[in-house]
Amino acid sequence: MTTLSTLNKFKKEGTKFTCLTCYDSMFARMMDNAQIDTILIGDSLGMVVQGHDSTLPVTVEDMVYHTANIARSNKHALILADLPFMSYVTLPEAVANSRQLMQAGAHVIKIEGGSELCDLITTLAQAGTPTCVHLGLTPQSVNVFGGYKIQGRGDAAADKVLADAKAVVAAGAALLVLECVPAALAKTITEAVDVPVIGIGAGAATDGQVLVMHDMLGMVHGRAPRFVHDFLTDERNSAHSIEGAFALYQQSVRAGVFPAEQHQFS
Ligand code: KIV
């Protein structure tokens, strides 16, 4: 079974690891068979499962329900679960909502933001709850950004993401997710912090990679983002199966073949 110690060891030895989003039991079993290292019950479920155009409508109850479904069906992966939009504004509500997710089977709570999260991160760590902090393009702040745009471009913006990363790690964050930032910035951050960093649209230098499951199976509404690869129709998926796509993703990330140059931003 994958634990935080496993991921820390992977970082030290340079072994790249995988993460996929997952929302239901059957896919969780297939990811178990493919030995996917970590699973994220992402609030992206608001878009790919519920049909909303953002993650904002997702509730704590939704997250608890999907987390429990995954925890029952996957024994290999470290399980990360998102605290949804506005469910961690105050410390008491953040603690109460994290408790629900942990009791549903999460191993790590994922939260979006920067140094403003430090008190919460320390409080949760002291209460036995590790956090993963999502930086860069944080979809819960889509209305602040004015759309889903690359973050951390230019010196000031890059310095801010780097400073946030260092601050949340100093406060006790166990993992970072970096979404849609220039590959060079992701490399700098990965080298600057001593916790594992998971990238999505952040280039090949991060310690791990995450993709939304539907995207990597080619189930994309409109145009696929640049950082996505369709592993289902990839000719190396000789079984032409979903489980084969998960296994190919696992092999490709481990081997450092995915992501390639064309999947990253500068
Ligand atoms: O909710 C989600 O799926 C995520 C990933 C895009 C990292 O946060």
Side-chain angles (χ1 to χ4, degrees), residues 145-210:
F145 298 144
Y148 296 98
K149 300 175 179 165
I150 313 304
Q151 300 296 310
R153 275 191 171 139
D155 288 350
D159 288 350
K160 165 92 173 82
V161 185
L162 176 60
D164 278 338
K166 286 180 176 168
V168 298
V169 169
L175 295 171
L176 300 182
V177 163
L178 283 182
E179 178 165 354
C180 289
V181 297
L185 174 62
K187 183 169 188 293
T188 302
I189 294 173
T190 304
E191 288 168 1
V193 298
D194 60 2
V195 302
V197 178
I198 306 171
I200 174 164
T206 55
D207 304 301
Q209 295 292 330
V210 57

Side-chain angles (χ1 to χ4, degrees), residues 9-69:
K9 182 168 157 280
F10 283 167
K11 181 175 180 104
K12 276 204 185 80
E13 61 192 28
T15 302
K16 303 286 182 185
F17 65 87
T18 52
C19 182
L20 282 176
T21 68
C22 191
Y23 318 98
D24 77 21
S25 167
M26 185 54 81
F27 287 113
R29 283 185 209 286
M30 291 186 195
M31 288 184 194
D32 215 1
N33 292 340
Q35 300 279 285
I36 297 299
D37 299 305
T38 68
I39 283 180
L40 168 66
I41 299 98
D43 57 0
S44 51
L45 70 85
M47 299 170 88
V48 296
V49 176
Q50 298 174 334
H52 297 295
D53 60 7
S54 78
T55 60
L56 274 52
V58 176
T59 64
V60 173
E61 289 67 32
D62 294 333
M63 294 307 303
V64 168
Y65 171 79
H66 288 278
T67 300
N69 289 343

